[in-house]
Amino acid sequence: MNVKGKILEISSTQQVTSSFQKREFVLEYAENPQYPEFLKFEMIQDKCNLLDSYKVGDDIDVYFNLKGRKWTDPKGEVKYFNSLQAWKLEGVSNNAPAGDMPPPPQQDPGHMEEPGWVTNGDEDDLPF
């Protein structure tokens, strides 16, 4: 899954245990700019450093997995948790000029002529 948005917050890396670390960030996702969504992602282990090359305000494309967990609390109540676990980030350029797109290939009008056909400029004439 992936989503594009603007980085709103970046947390520092948390060392949860001696062998597990995570880092969180919040993305402002504005599919409808009037009602933006604020999505909290987490990155784990070696993916934590992927955020180092980005800053608050950057537009990025986030690739992530949706994770869900079931947990039974000490009272015996079952609870469910969801997380968005990011694994790849790409910068997005919203202000690239349209002129950077290459022009479409030009078609040679002769590409539709069969070998041996002679055209006299009147394409409506049939060759028989």
Side-chain angles (χ1 to χ4, degrees):
M1 303 176 94
N2 73 309
V3 64
K4 293 178 183 172
K6 183 179 296 195
I7 298 175
L8 192 64
E9 294 180 24
I10 299 176
S11 300
S12 57
T13 301
Q14 300 171 332
Q15 195 68 41
V16 179
T17 67
S18 60
S19 61
F20 181 76
Q21 64 180 359
K22 74 175 186 174
R23 189 172 186 186
E24 297 176 336
F25 67 99
V26 177
L27 190 77
E28 181 179 351
Y29 170 64
E31 182 178 47
N32 178 350
Q34 190 174 0
Y35 303 104
E37 302 288 335
F38 303 98
L39 309 174
K40 183 169 83 170
F41 290 89
E42 69 179 19
M43 303 185 96
I44 61 170
Q45 303 301 71
D46 62 330
K47 302 297 181 192
C48 292
N49 63 358
L50 293 178
L51 278 166
D52 291 344
S53 57
Y54 297 98
K55 64 186 182 318
V56 171
D58 285 349
D59 289 319
I60 61 171
D61 196 354
V62 181
Y63 294 83
F64 65 97
N65 294 327
L66 177 61
K67 298 289 191 172
R69 291 182 274 306
K70 179 179 175 180
W71 176 67
T72 305
D73 71 10
K75 296 179 185 176
E77 294 179 31
V78 175
K79 307 213 181 222
Y80 296 92
F81 298 92
N82 295 323
S83 63
L84 305 175
Q85 198 170 83
W87 50 271
K88 180 180 174 183
L89 306 176
E90 290 182 346
V92 175
S93 176
N94 287 337
N95 54 2
D100 286 353
M101 297 279 299
Q106 297 293 323
Q107 292 185 348
D108 177 16
H111 74 283
M112 296 183 68
E113 294 178 13
E114 293 281 330
W117 282 22
V118 178
T119 60
N120 60 4
D122 190 2
E123 280 74 31
D124 289 337
D125 282 350
L126 298 176
F128 52 86

